[in-house]
Amino acid sequence: MQSLDVAHKASGKIWHRKPTPSADNGLMVSIQHSQAGTLSQFSRNVRFLHTAFDGQTETFVAGDHQGNVYVFDLNKNRFFLGQKTGHPCTAVAFNLRRKSEFLVGLSDYSLKCFDTDTKEMVAWMKGHESAIRDISVHASGRYALTTSTDTAQLWDLDTFQRKRKLNIKEDVGIVQVFFLPLSNVIITGFKDDTIFAWESDTLKCKYQLPVPPGNSPHYRAFISTKDGRILAAGGKSRFIHLWDLDTHRLLRIVELPAKVTTVKQMVFLPDNFDAGANQVLGVLSQDGIVRFININTCKLLFDIGSIENKINNITVSSSGRHLSSVMEDGSLNVFNLHAMSSELNKPPAPLVKVVSGNKMADTSTKPSLRQKGKGRAGGKENKMVGEPTGSKEIEIPERLNMERLTAILKGYGEYPSKYRMFIWRSVLRLPENHTAYAALVDKGTHPAYVNLQEEYPIKSRKLLRVLQRILSALAHWSPIFGETQYLPVLVFPFVKLFQNNHLVCFEIIATIMENWAEHWFEYFPNPPINILSLIENVLAHHDKYLLQHFVKYGVTSQIYAWPLLETLFSEVLTKDEWLMLWDNVFSNHPSFLLMAVVAYTISARGPLMQCIELDDFKFFYHHRNAVDVRQVIKEAYRLMEATPDDIHPHKTLAEFKPLTVGQYPVFNKYPKFIVDYQVQERERIRHEEMEYLRQRQVSLEMQKETMKRTQEEEAWYRQQQLLMDAEEKRRILIQTEEQKLTAQRKRLFAMNREVKLKELQLLDAARRKFLHFQKEQRQKELRRLDDEVQRKALLRDQETESAIEEAEIRNIELQLQKKMFEQELFREFATASHQLRTEQDMHRKQAELENRIQDRLKDVERERQMDVRKMLQDNLAQTAQQNIEAWAQNEFEHRHRLEDLERESKAIQLAKKSSENRKLEEEVHNLMKQVQAQTANEADLAKLQLGEQKDLAAESDQRRLQFLEDEGYKAHYHGRKLTEDTISTLNSHRAGLAGLDNSSKSELYHTLVTSDCDTDSKVSFDRDGRAFDEREIALLHEVRRLREKLAVDNRTKKPPPYVALD
């Protein structure tokens, strides 16, 4: 097996010497794409994903996980990088109408077409919403079907446009969609095990295959034969269903071995002689092994792959010769299938035209009749049935007429190469004893040929295995063949010629041993002196001078005759010359071979007469020479006729006798005691050698174990030393890092200290600035409040003066009206009624005016009271807020002090004992308690002062209300009294006014009473306003005095004691 790494290669050779795949695995070359890792010195493999063969040649494309597409030509032994797509490929197809183009499905759900000649992209097709997992191309190469998990699409490869799209239900998935070969039918397989056939032109359903009864087969893979008549379907079971697409019926069910549980992929192997009706089916199962079976005989032919490195997918070339597989480890293996089995691509038996009559032109072909002919010895009739061609069987006659064969041989010097093998089988009358040969083969490899490859290293393992099998069968047939040293050289030409038909090869060699080499073993282990003497006698009779030349230089028959016999001329003749010679040997008496030896020597008389060195003679008979084989054959025929009977070899050699039918004859023409002795000696030597090998193996194993333990011990010591060195390095590194870390911590601590100092400075500056700003604000607020109080006091004084002036004016007016009313009362009673009405109207208007004035005064008084109350409330709220702000400021100062103390205690804690720290913490705790208690006392004091102010305000409101009630009652009483006095006076002076009705009197009385009451109320209200203003001014002075007292107390408060920390 050869390997190829395409890493960093744009082109090159696939193999550097022609591969010779063995029949064991048939592997030709393993292809990898390695890539050096970025973080380690080890390389990783870039996985190959999919491959596809060309439709006509042995060329295939392969795509890897990085999007590289390589083209491999197995015939020309070349590869090159076809394209870099940049995305992993999910499917590949390489059988388009333009042979240099191929399709690639990529992981970005697109489909691209590239040209291998120009290495350019031809088209880019999009339309799938998931990855394309299969591409099927029509036989004409014009259309392509792409399948994903959810849909299938039909593409026109001339225009690269999508023609149709197959939409399915969500619960029914697509398994596979592909074109049926040699037709316009599309086969679709779904996950519900339904199979439909559609016309590709109209997309009309032609038929549906019935679902098999019983358990669901769970189809997952489909493949059809090249003629499109049989469809194979497999899935999650070990059964493969073969459907006849002509009758739409299930043809047969193939059962795979029990170890197979799932069928992943299937391929039919093309054959040049089956007319498209493929017979061999390759099945890739879940264990990663491809098994090839004959669907007619259900026989397992061979398998490829192993469980250690499973196969993921496979592709077969159009000729069926090569198979490419993507392995589980990402590599790409190429197999030669013809090397795996002789039944693949095997041509049918030739149709032989039997000569009837003396003229060769009269020929007839009878494919259905068995023809009989007499051979050279007139033995029994044998029947030969040719291999099927198409659906017919052609029976070929086994024996031919030797006279006509002799005429052909004399006319052309050889048999036609096309029919040579058949003629040999017919001339030698091989019995084809399958049972007997199988019994010999079943005995296994003979001990004499176990190590055959060491003595005869053959390049082809298949030829070596076949040669070993044939030699072992011969040795089991007769023990002499296990002791014959030259037998492999004698047998090898026939093995190479009949490597695909072991039975015929064995029987031809057995026939040669039974007839031509019958007397070769009488003087074993020495050369056949009797046979060599016959050759020497014939040579002495026909060319005594040449024999005398041989005798002169010591050249015996063992030098000039025996090398030709033991190799059967294979060393001195080419293949065609050798075949020509053996055409004549098989067609004549066994003595013809001895005459051919003499004829070869006589034909080369000139060069031999020039040789005088013994090594030159030996070299001549072991190498090819410029000797015409036709001349040799002609000379052999002449010697056969011209040799006298007394020295003619035919007297010693018997007539040709074919092998017996059923069982092979016994071959015992050799000195049995010598052979038995050699067998015993060989067996003894073999046992001794086996014992020696066993002991040697034991000693080697002990030595290996000792070396292994020594290596393990040395490795352990090296590992320990490395670990200690690494530990020392790590220790030094850790120390260095710790030193660096300590220096960094010192720098960080210094930086933190500087930052803290700067922060404290900034906080102190900000605090001082804030205190200054707050002080200014408080001063401004106090000035504003003083201005506001002065303004409001001035405003109240002005209002009071204006009210007093209005009251005085009103009093004057009332007095004037009273005087005018009194003057009017003394007027003439003649105009009393008129004057009374006039007075009543006047008094009514005056009463309305007074009512309006009283209402306005009441509103003004009410507004003034509300303003006073609001001002008092505002003053109280401001006082409370100032108290709260003073308490918050003190709390802020105390907290700053506490934070400073904590920082200082933490800084000192690093250098002092824990006891001092606890004391400082207790002192700080006590200070905090004192501050808290002082703050609580201040809050209680503020609350108490606020309560007192509220009580004073309530008491003031109560006194004012009581005063107003008393003054109102007094004014009402005084007015009523004045009214009664006035009425009594009027009654005494106006006794004559008897005509005044009660209504007028009552109205007049009511008017006077109302007027007097209003006047008295107005006067009393004026007095009450003055008293209230005086009390309000006194209250404001008291509030200002309390506020100044609080400010003085706050300024004179002592700060908390400062504890000096050592």
Side-chain angles (χ1 to χ4, degrees):
M1 181 199 72
Q2 300 187 43
S3 61
L4 170 65
D5 193 348
V6 298
H8 308 294
K9 295 180 182 178
S11 62
K13 292 184 178 181
I14 302 177
W15 50 74
H16 294 284
R17 59 182 179 86
K18 188 175 181 180
T20 56
S22 64
D24 295 335
N25 54 16
L27 182 59
M28 296 177 60
V29 62
S30 178
I31 304 172
Q32 296 179 348
H33 185 186
S34 63
Q35 186 178 27
T38 56
L39 300 178
S40 64
Q41 60 182 352
F42 301 102
S43 62
R44 63 182 182 89
N45 287 335
V46 179
R47 298 175 57 84
F48 283 98
L49 299 178
H50 296 279
T51 61
F53 269 96
D54 189 4
Q56 296 180 354
T57 62
E58 300 297 319
T59 305
F60 69 93
V61 296
D64 61 15
H65 194 268
Q66 290 185 348
N68 301 319
V69 181
Y70 291 89
V71 181
F72 298 89
D73 192 338
L74 300 179
N75 289 336
K76 297 181 181 180
N77 187 24
R78 300 293 298 175
F79 79 92
F80 61 89
L81 178 59
Q83 192 61 237
K84 291 184 178 180
T85 61
H87 297 278
C89 67
T90 58
V92 188
F94 194 28
N95 51 350
L96 309 186
R97 186 169 64 173
R98 288 177 283 274
K99 304 305 178 184
S100 61
E101 295 180 357
F102 63 91
L103 295 175
V104 179
L106 302 177
S107 60
D108 60 351
Y109 312 153
S110 64
L111 179 67
K112 293 184 179 181
C113 179
F114 297 99
D115 195 310
T116 58
D117 294 340
T118 61
K119 297 183 180 181
E120 295 180 355
M121 185 176 67
V122 179
W124 189 358
M125 293 161 278
K126 294 183 179 180
H128 281 276
E129 297 179 356
S130 58
I132 299 172
R133 63 184 183 185
D134 184 65
I135 302 175
S136 176
V137 182
H138 192 264
S140 63
R142 292 187 56 190
Y143 303 103
L145 276 170
T146 56
T147 308
S148 60
T149 56
D150 53 356
T151 185
Q153 299 185 13
L154 178 63
W155 303 88
D156 190 344
L157 298 183
D158 290 337
T159 61
F160 297 103
Q161 299 292 329
R162 184 175 65 187
K163 292 189 64 178
R164 298 292 179 89
K165 180 179 180 181
L166 174 62
N167 295 319
I168 61 172
K169 297 181 179 179
E170 294 182 357
D171 55 345
V172 180
I174 299 176
V175 176
Q176 191 174 352
V177 180
F178 60 95
F179 285 106
L180 203 62
L182 305 178
S183 65
N184 291 328
V185 178
I186 299 175
I187 299 295
T188 58
F190 299 95
K191 290 185 179 180
D192 58 354
D193 299 331
T194 57
I195 303 174
F196 292 87
W198 313 80
E199 285 286 351
S200 61
D201 298 334
T202 61
L203 291 183
K204 292 183 178 180
C205 182
K206 291 187 65 176
Y207 56 85
Q208 177 185 359
L209 298 180
V211 179
N215 296 330
S216 175
H218 299 289
Y219 290 144
R220 290 299 177 268
F222 301 92
I223 192 66
S224 66
T225 57
K226 192 174 181 180
D227 58 0
R229 301 182 64 182
I230 295 177
L231 176 67
K236 295 183 179 180
S237 65
R238 60 190 182 98
F239 297 99
I240 297 177
H241 295 176
L242 299 177
W243 295 88
D244 190 342
L245 299 182
D246 293 336
T247 61
H248 309 159
R249 294 182 179 180
L250 186 62
L251 188 62
R252 66 172 60 90
I253 299 177
V254 180
E255 183 178 4
L256 298 175
K259 62 183 69 175
V260 177
T261 60
T262 303
V263 176
K264 296 175 59 178
Q265 186 182 358
M266 296 183 294
V267 292
F268 273 108
L269 297 189
D271 199 312
N272 295 332
F273 304 98
D274 58 6
N278 308 130
Q279 304 296 321
V280 180
L281 177 64
V283 181
L284 175 61
S285 56
Q286 87 289 341
D287 56 1
I289 298 176
V290 183
R291 297 172 174 83
F292 292 89
I293 59 176
N294 191 307
I295 61 175
N296 290 331
T297 62
C298 297
K299 177 183 177 182
L300 179 62
L301 303 179
F302 60 94
D303 55 35
I304 294 177
S306 62
I307 300 178
E308 290 78 13
N309 192 10
K310 298 181 181 179
I311 298 177
N312 288 342
N313 56 72
I314 57 176
T315 311
V316 180
S317 63
S318 59
S319 63
R321 184 177 182 84
H322 297 103
L323 179 142
S324 65
S325 64
V326 177
M327 311 305 291
E328 189 178 27
D329 60 359
S331 61
L332 180 63
N333 290 351
V334 181
F335 297 89
N336 190 325
L337 298 179
H338 289 180
M340 299 292 293
S341 176
S342 60
E343 298 185 11
L344 295 179
N345 211 20
K346 182 179 179 181
L351 178 62
V352 179
K353 298 181 179 180
V354 182
V355 179
S356 59
N358 294 329
K359 297 182 179 180
M360 295 179 62
D362 298 335
T363 60
S364 62
T365 302
K366 299 181 179 181
S368 62
L369 299 176
R370 296 186 181 93
Q371 299 200 8
K372 300 179 181 180
K374 294 183 178 180
R376 173 172 40 192
K380 297 181 180 180
E381 298 178 0
N382 291 324
K383 179 175 66 176
M384 174 70 182
V385 180
E387 295 182 4
T389 302
S391 60
K392 299 180 180 179
E393 294 183 353
I394 302 176
E395 298 180 359
I396 301 177
E398 174 63 25
R399 292 175 298 154
L400 303 176
N401 193 308
M402 282 303 302
E403 295 179 358
R404 294 178 174 83
L405 291 178
T406 303
I408 295 174
L409 196 59
K410 288 182 179 180
Y412 297 97
E414 60 179 339
Y415 292 131
S417 59
K418 184 177 180 180
Y419 304 107
R420 177 178 283 118
M421 303 299 106
F422 171 72
I423 294 174
W424 283 11
R425 292 160 61 185
S426 178
V427 168
L428 299 178
R429 286 178 287 170
L430 302 180
E432 297 186 8
N433 298 327
H434 293 274
T435 305
Y437 174 71
L440 294 175
V441 172
D442 291 341
K443 293 181 180 181
T445 303
H446 195 271
Y449 300 109
V450 172
N451 299 321
L452 181 64
Q453 67 276 7
E454 298 178 1
E455 298 180 6
Y456 298 94
I458 301 175
K459 190 177 180 180
S460 173
R461 294 184 61 186
K462 179 181 179 182
L463 287 177
L464 179 63
R465 189 167 55 253
V466 175
L467 177 62
Q468 191 177 37
R469 185 177 300 171
I470 299 299
L471 291 175
S472 299
L474 290 171
H476 290 307
W477 176 41
S478 180
I480 186 63
F481 299 127
E483 307 299 327
T484 305
Q485 300 295 327
Y486 59 85
L487 188 62
V489 180
L490 184 145
V491 172
F492 182 73
F494 295 97
V495 171
K496 193 172 183 180
L497 191 63
F498 295 96
Q499 56 181 328
N500 294 328
N501 198 332
H502 304 170
L503 175 63
V504 173
C505 179
F506 172 79
E507 291 187 348
I508 288 177
I509 297 171
T511 303
I512 292 174
M513 294 299 173
E514 188 71 24
N515 293 276
W516 283 270
E518 181 181 5
H519 301 285
W520 288 13
F521 307 99
E522 293 178 358
Y523 295 91
F524 186 83
N526 298 318
I529 301 174
N530 53 346
I531 299 298
L532 297 179
S533 62
L534 292 176
I535 295 175
E536 191 170 350
N537 292 334
V538 174
L539 180 61
H541 177 74
H542 292 283
D543 197 341
K544 60 181 179 180
Y545 296 105
L546 182 59
L547 181 60
Q548 290 175 0
H549 181 71
F550 287 161
V551 172
K552 179 180 178 181
Y553 293 103
V555 179
T556 63
S557 58
Q558 296 184 14
I559 296 176
Y560 68 83
W562 183 234
L564 299 178
L565 290 177
E566 68 179 357
T567 60
L568 296 181
F569 291 88
S570 61
E571 284 186 345
V572 297
L573 298 178
T574 63
K575 179 181 179 182
D576 295 336
E577 293 174 346
W578 187 82
L579 292 173
M580 184 183 299
L581 174 63
W582 281 95
D583 284 344
N584 291 272
V585 171
F586 286 150
S587 301
N588 290 278
H589 191 272
S591 61
F592 185 81
L593 180 61
L594 305 182
M595 294 301 181
V597 174
V598 178
Y600 184 82
T601 302
I602 294 175
S603 300
R605 186 176 186 278
L608 291 173
M609 291 299 290
Q610 300 294 327
C611 295
I612 57 175
E613 296 292 338
L614 186 61
D615 293 336
D616 295 339
F617 289 103
K618 291 181 179 180
F619 183 84
F620 183 86
Y621 285 100
H622 285 281
H623 293 82
R624 294 177 184 176
N625 303 288
V627 178
D628 187 5
V629 69
R630 294 182 181 273
Q631 185 64 32
V632 173
I633 295 172
K634 184 177 180 181
E635 182 66 22
Y637 277 112
R638 188 188 68 80
L639 295 176
M640 287 285 291
E641 295 176 359
T643 303
D645 293 339
D646 55 346
I647 62 172
H648 202 290
H650 69 76
K651 294 181 63 177
T652 305
L653 300 179
E655 293 291 334
F656 174 79
K657 293 182 295 183
L659 298 177
T660 57
V661 180
Q663 294 294 332
Y664 297 116
V666 178
F667 188 85
N668 55 2
K669 296 177 182 180
Y670 57 89
K672 193 172 183 303
F673 67 93
I674 296 177
V675 174
D676 293 342
Y677 174 75
Q678 288 189 353
V679 170
Q680 293 175 3
E681 286 295 316
R682 185 183 295 275
E683 190 68 22
R684 181 183 62 80
I685 294 172
R686 189 174 65 83
H687 283 297
E688 291 179 355
E689 186 178 7
M690 289 178 63
E691 182 66 20
Y692 167 73
L693 291 175
R694 188 184 65 79
Q695 294 178 0
R696 183 182 177 185
Q697 184 68 22
V698 171
S699 62
L700 288 176
E701 289 179 356
M702 292 179 65
Q703 185 179 0
K704 288 181 180 179
E705 186 67 24
T706 304
M707 294 177 63
K708 182 179 178 181
R709 290 183 179 179
T710 304
Q711 292 176 358
E712 289 179 353
E713 186 175 359
E714 293 177 356
W716 185 81
Y717 280 119
R718 287 196 302 270
Q719 186 177 5
Q720 292 299 320
Q721 185 64 31
L722 291 174
L723 290 175
M724 292 174 64
D725 296 342
E727 185 177 359
E728 186 65 24
K729 290 180 181 179
R730 297 298 187 278
R731 188 179 296 110
I732 295 172
L733 182 61
I734 289 172
Q735 291 178 358
T736 306
E737 291 297 329
E738 286 180 351
Q739 293 176 0
K740 293 181 180 178
L741 184 60
T742 304
Q744 289 179 359
R745 285 179 177 173
K746 289 181 179 179
R747 291 195 298 270
L748 183 61
F749 180 74
M751 292 175 62
N752 287 333
R753 185 171 58 188
E754 293 178 359
V755 170
K756 291 293 184 182
L757 290 175
K758 290 182 179 179
E759 184 178 358
L760 290 175
Q761 292 175 0
L762 292 175
L763 288 175
D764 192 15
R767 184 176 58 183
R768 288 196 299 269
K769 185 177 180 181
F770 179 75
L771 290 175
H772 181 68
F773 174 76
Q774 193 173 16
K775 182 179 178 182
E776 291 180 352
Q777 291 293 112
R778 294 291 183 273
Q779 291 177 357
K780 291 180 180 180
E781 186 69 21
L782 289 175
R783 287 196 297 270
R784 186 181 65 80
L785 291 174
D786 292 339
D787 295 339
E788 185 70 20
V789 170
Q790 292 177 3
R791 186 181 64 81
K792 288 186 176 181
L794 182 60
L795 182 62
R796 287 191 184 90
D797 293 339
Q798 292 177 358
E799 290 178 354
T800 304
E801 291 177 355
S802 61
I804 291 171
E805 291 177 356
E806 289 179 358
E808 291 177 353
I809 294 171
R810 182 60 184 165
N811 192 9
I812 294 171
E813 291 178 353
L814 289 175
Q815 291 177 2
L816 181 60
Q817 289 178 1
K818 182 179 179 180
K819 291 179 180 181
M820 289 175 68
F821 179 72
E822 289 176 355
Q823 291 175 2
E824 289 294 329
L825 289 175
F826 292 104
R827 288 181 180 180
E828 295 286 336
F829 289 106
T831 59
S833 299
H834 179 71
Q835 290 179 354
L836 183 60
R837 284 193 298 270
T838 305
E839 276 184 42
Q840 288 178 355
D841 293 335
M842 184 184 62
H843 283 293
R844 189 181 299 111
K845 290 179 182 180
Q846 186 178 359
E848 290 177 358
L849 180 59
E850 290 178 355
N851 289 332
R852 286 196 297 272
I853 292 172
Q854 289 178 1
D855 293 336
R856 189 173 65 83
L857 291 175
K858 290 180 181 180
D859 293 337
V860 171
E861 183 67 21
R862 191 181 298 110
E863 290 177 359
R864 189 178 63 82
Q865 292 176 0
M866 290 297 293
D867 292 338
V868 171
R869 190 179 294 110
K870 184 176 180 182
M871 183 181 64
L872 291 175
Q873 291 177 357
D874 291 341
N875 292 333
L876 291 175
Q878 289 176 2
T879 304
Q881 182 63 29
Q882 289 175 0
N883 190 14
I884 292 172
E885 288 178 355
W887 174 82
Q889 183 66 26
N890 292 330
E891 183 70 18
F892 180 74
E893 292 293 335
H894 292 321
R895 286 187 181 180
H896 271 286
R897 278 298 172 81
L898 291 176
E899 289 177 357
D900 294 338
L901 292 174
E902 288 178 0
R903 290 193 194 96
E904 293 177 1
S905 64
K906 288 181 180 179
I908 296 173
Q909 187 179 3
L910 297 175
K912 297 220 173 168
K913 297 178 182 180
S914 59
S915 60
E916 295 178 357
N917 293 336
R918 285 194 295 271
K919 290 179 181 180
L920 292 176
E921 288 177 0
E922 290 178 358
E923 292 178 1
V924 172
H925 187 65
N926 294 329
L927 289 175
M928 291 176 66
K929 286 185 177 180
Q930 293 176 5
V931 172
Q932 185 176 4
Q934 185 177 359
T935 306
N937 294 331
E938 291 179 356
D940 295 338
L941 180 60
K943 290 181 181 179
L944 182 60
Q945 292 177 356
L946 181 61
E948 291 177 356
Q949 291 179 1
K950 288 183 178 180
D951 294 339
L952 291 175
E955 186 179 355
S956 177
D957 293 338
Q958 188 174 4
R959 286 198 306 268
R960 186 175 62 255
L961 292 175
Q962 185 64 35
F963 177 75
L964 291 175
E965 289 179 359
D966 293 340
E967 290 296 328
Y969 177 75
K970 290 178 181 180
H972 178 72
Y973 177 77
H974 180 68
R976 185 173 182 182
K977 185 177 180 181
L978 291 177
T979 305
E980 290 178 355
D981 292 340
T982 303
I983 292 173
S984 63
T985 304
L986 290 175
N987 289 330
S988 63
H989 287 286
R990 295 178 181 179
L993 297 174
L996 186 63
D997 54 358
N998 293 328
S999 61
S1000 299
K1001 291 180 179 180
S1002 62
E1003 184 178 356
L1004 179 61
Y1005 174 79
H1006 179 72
T1007 302
L1008 291 174
V1009 169
T1010 302
S1011 177
D1012 293 338
C1013 291
D1014 290 339
T1015 304
D1016 295 336
S1017 298
K1018 174 59 69 175
V1019 174
S1020 64
F1021 282 153
D1022 292 338
R1023 290 194 297 269
D1024 291 339
R1026 291 192 187 96
F1028 178 78
D1029 290 339
E1030 291 176 357
R1031 290 193 187 95
E1032 184 178 6
I1033 291 171
L1035 182 61
L1036 289 175
H1037 285 296
E1038 183 68 21
V1039 169
R1040 181 178 297 176
R1041 185 183 63 78
L1042 290 174
R1043 186 176 62 202
E1044 291 176 354
K1045 182 180 180 181
L1046 288 175
V1048 171
D1049 292 339
N1050 289 331
R1051 284 196 296 271
T1052 58
K1053 279 183 180 178
K1054 294 183 180 180
Y1058 178 74
V1059 180
L1061 300 177
D1062 295 334

